[in-house]
């Protein structure tokens, strides 16, 4: 059983916490040894697995972001903590595994984050789509970054690909699947068996990615 995080603190008892994304955190007393923690986790394996399965099939609709220190923001599938800093230029940047947000930008934090994600989406998704299209010998007309809430991607009749900026919060493998999905729509407009066969030939583990989006899609928001 994988332990994602161990937090030692001045507590007397152990606690196992299944995070909203299914990761396992162990809260332990200061002096608890690794062996003790591993034994506890072994004893509780069934409980942990049941809880993880439940969390994954019941994604909570997250509360809107509060933009406070330590709050987590997803980028390429990684949770990145926020740190409010007295000053920063630009107002938001990603540095050493933290988001640094200037205090003066707090009143418009949602807009600042949205713009940041949009920019990254254009770079990351744009580059990856171009790469994969070339690899498959497919040609699209243009690529747009949209604000769609739950529609991760779409393919217009004239060969325009659209991707939601929220997608850049997801792990690279998931982004890749959505790109492949829309690229295949350049050739096959519907979701017929032929379509899914073509997707499977280009992204063999696509079922894993659709399942991920189903379970976690709601978490990709501000
Ligand atoms: Zn589709």
């Amino acid at each position: 059983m994988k332990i994602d995080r161990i937090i030692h603190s001045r507590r007397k008892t152990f606690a196992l916490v299944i995070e909203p994304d299914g990761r396992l955190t162990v809260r332990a007393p200061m002096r608890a040894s690794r062996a003790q923690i591993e034994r506890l986790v072994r004893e509780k394996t069934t409980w942990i697995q049941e809880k993880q399965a439940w969390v994954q099939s019941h994604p909570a609709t997250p509360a809107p972001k509060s933009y406070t220190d330590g709050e987590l923001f997803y980028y390429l599938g990684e949770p990145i903590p926020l740190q409010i800093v007295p000053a920063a230029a630009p107002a938001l940047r990603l540095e050493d595994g933290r988001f640094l947000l200037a205090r003066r930008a707090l009143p418009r934090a949602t807009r600042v984050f949205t713009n940041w994600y949009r920019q990254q989406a254009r770079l990351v998704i744009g580059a990856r789509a171009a790469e994969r299209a070339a690899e498959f010998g497919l040609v699209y007309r243009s690529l747009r970054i949209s604000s769609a809430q739950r529609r991760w991607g779409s393919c217009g009749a004239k060969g325009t690909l659209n991707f939601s900026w929220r997608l850049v919060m997801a792990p690279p493998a998931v982004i890749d699947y959505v790109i492949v999905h829309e690229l295949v729509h350049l050739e096959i407009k519907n979701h017929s068996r032929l379509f899914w066969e073509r997707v499977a030939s280009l992204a063999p583990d696509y079922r894993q990615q659709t399942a991920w989006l189903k379970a976690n899609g709601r978490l990709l928001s501000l």
Side-chain angles (χ1 to χ4, degrees):
M1 170 101 344
K2 184 165 166 274
I3 302 171
D4 296 290
R5 200 154 63 119
I6 297 174
I7 301 171
H8 290 274
S9 63
R10 297 179 59 179
R11 53 182 297 144
K12 293 204 170 67
T13 56
F14 290 88
L16 300 175
V17 181
I18 309 300
E19 306 291 350
D21 62 359
R23 291 179 199 227
L24 172 62
T25 298
V26 180
R27 294 186 172 272
M30 216 51 107
R31 287 158 170 274
S33 69
R34 180 82 200 189
Q36 256 179 310
I37 292 170
E38 277 171 7
R39 191 175 339 118
L40 172 76
V41 166
R42 244 188 339 265
E43 283 166 8
K44 297 279 184 187
T45 300
T46 309
W47 179 87
I48 293 166
Q49 283 169 342
E50 280 172 10
K51 191 93 177 166
Q52 283 175 331
W54 192 89
V55 163
Q56 271 145 20
S57 58
H58 294 78
T61 302
K65 295 291 187 191
S66 58
Y67 303 100
T68 47
D69 271 319
E71 190 174 25
L72 297 176
F73 290 77
Y74 282 82
Y75 175 54
L76 300 177
E78 293 295 325
I80 296 173
L82 174 66
Q83 191 180 341
I84 311 294
V85 291
L92 174 67
R93 67 173 192 272
L94 177 56
E95 197 177 284
D96 299 329
R98 286 168 312 166
F99 275 119
L100 304 181
L101 179 67
R103 191 172 304 282
R104 66 177 162 76
L106 273 174
R108 54 191 171 90
T110 304
R111 191 150 34 101
V112 171
F113 260 96
T114 305
N115 288 341
W116 189 90
Y117 278 121
R118 266 184 172 280
Q119 243 168 35
Q120 300 306 314
R122 198 172 299 283
L123 292 172
V124 172
I125 299 173
R128 197 60 187 144
E131 219 173 282
R132 303 240 71 186
E135 188 185 325
F136 306 145
L138 293 167
V139 179
Y140 55 87
R141 193 155 168 241
S142 58
L143 187 148
R144 254 190 70 240
I145 299 299
S146 78
S147 301
Q149 293 278 353
R150 295 303 304 276
R151 204 169 183 201
W152 309 113
S154 62
C155 176
K158 296 199 171 115
T160 298
L161 304 182
N162 305 288
F163 297 97
S164 170
W165 60 260
R166 290 165 223 277
L167 185 59
V168 83
M169 293 179 173
V174 172
I175 298 176
D176 229 58
Y177 153 69
V178 176
I179 290 172
V180 167
H181 182 120
E182 300 314 331
L183 286 174
V184 172
H185 274 322
L186 290 169
E187 289 184 331
I188 309 168
K189 294 293 169 199
N190 51 40
H191 289 123
S192 58
R193 217 180 89 200
L194 191 67
F195 170 84
W196 288 112
E197 278 171 10
R198 185 92 170 102
V199 169
S201 72
L202 303 177
D205 58 354
Y206 81 92
R207 277 176 204 279
Q208 227 173 299
Q209 321 312 339
T210 54
W212 191 95
L213 279 172
K214 205 169 166 211
N216 301 290
R218 265 181 260 190
L219 302 175
L220 308 183
S221 67
L222 286 176

